[in-house]
Amino acid sequence: MSFLSATLSRVKPSPTIAMTAKAAELKAAGRDVIGLSAGEPDFDTPQNIKDAAVAAIAAGKTKYTAPDGIPELKQAVCAKMKRDHGLDYTLAQISVGTGGKQTLYNALMATMNDGDEVIIPAPYWVSYPDMVLLAGGTPVVVETTLANSFKLTAEQLEAAITPRTKWFIFNSPSNPTGAGYSRDELKALTDVLMRHPHVWIMSDDMYEHLAYDGFEFCTPAEVEPGLYDRTLTCNGVSKAYAMTGWRIGYAAGPVELISAMRKIQSQSTSNPCSISQWAAVEALNGTQDFLTPNNETFKRRRDLVVRMLDEIDGITCPTPEGAFYVYPSIAGLIGKTTPAGTVIENDEAFATALLEEADVAVVFGAAFGLSPNFRVSYATSDAALTEACVRIQRFCASLR
Ligand SMILES: Cc1ncc(COP(=O)(O)O)c(C=O)c1O
């Protein structure tokens, strides 16, 4: 009998974390590696948020809190949902967890039964399928296309729904493509969901505030109020507020689901860090002024990366609406050989050779369920991005 659980054998470690670790290892060994694999902003956490954390420590707010968050933070989430989306929630409808990751995981753990299916458009954030598997459910992956800017169509969603579908996971702007659904594109999907009342919607709005060229973010429960009673809207402070290390995420949804999520959290991790919660109160209630200059920086970097990658023979790099990722296709490079003799059979071979032969770390598309592509995170300095793109250009030109 195996000591480790059978469930675990179906789950793989996060490939994005693995790639970042490999790049760090090469760097530590003295190699001049440029890392474009990490999913976190290079900006510092805004000062007002840090100050709120220091004040919380000074005031002794360092003890256990309610397992799924302090009322002040739940209230700040309610105010945010009203302010940004016109949606009303009470404190009993809010769950605060240790990062967006925990709230998503809690929701799946709280609802999955054997045979339950979860529709996940690909490319997807790496953790969705594995979280579904850990929770005992079955991921149903539906591949989008570059031709449709990596967005799921209403027909694809309709075709994927079965009597066993429990959740549809929706993520806009997307990790890894940056694709953001317009109101009309989202409405086409919510119209389908209105015809299938047994399907719940898990909307992962983590990149809400990172949107460019006037893209107007919207979330399913605001686009189709008829879905309010079966939508869990998940978000967090990690990306927009440059708070990845603070570990605060939150979700808003029906009371019964939120209570079930609280039960899981109360028997596993208990409350997220009390100090981080007070910092998150300030993030949500305080000034949002830094978002505009941060987004101008991200947009400039996105344009730089798209331009330099799209001009490479064999690479197609669409311009996405948001987040801080691009997801170029390398269809035109498959079958070529690197100077060291590696055949680019797939995107994993491409990313590995790029790291080993050109000192640039990216994440291969297979990790996100759609190939042949790779993900570039442009949340790093313009100088590093330019140098990385020059290296990618040189590497691709050296392929035979
Ligand atoms: C789409 C998406 N959802 C959720 C998360 C989790 O964020 P957190 O760091 O708050 O757990 C991430 C982080 O990379 C993400 O990209």
Side-chain angles (χ1 to χ4, degrees), residues 206-249:
M206 190 54 81
Y207 294 92
E208 167 184 2
H209 292 297
L210 307 181
Y212 320 114
D213 302 329
F215 173 77
E216 281 185 29
F217 171 85
C218 47
T219 194
E222 71 176 306
V223 168
E224 178 46 81
L227 294 175
Y228 176 89
D229 288 336
R230 50 186 168 106
T231 299
L232 184 72
T233 303
C234 303
N235 207 325
V237 295
S238 297
K239 312 286 175 169
Y241 302 96
M243 292 176 70
T244 45
W246 299 73
R247 312 306 305 133
I248 296 291

Side-chain angles (χ1 to χ4, degrees), residues 252-271:
V255 171
E256 193 188 353
L257 173 60
I258 295 292
S259 309
M261 290 164 65
R262 181 187 317 120
K263 203 185 214 180
I264 290 173
Q265 195 156 301
S266 71
Q267 295 294 23
S268 51
T269 60
S270 286
N271 65 275

Side-chain angles (χ1 to χ4, degrees), residues 364-384:
F364 52 92
F368 307 99
L370 194 82
S371 293
N373 293 70
F374 64 99
R375 186 191 77 173
V376 166
S377 164
Y378 54 82
T380 190
S381 73
D382 294 35

Side-chain angles (χ1 to χ4, degrees), residues 39 99-101 104 125 128 171 175 204 206-207 238-239 244 247-248 325:
K101 208 171 211 169
L104 292 159
W125 179 46
Y128 298 144
N171 174 220
N175 178 2
D204 182 348
M206 190 54 81
Y207 294 92
S238 297
K239 312 286 175 169
T244 45
R247 312 306 305 133
I248 296 291
Y325 308 106

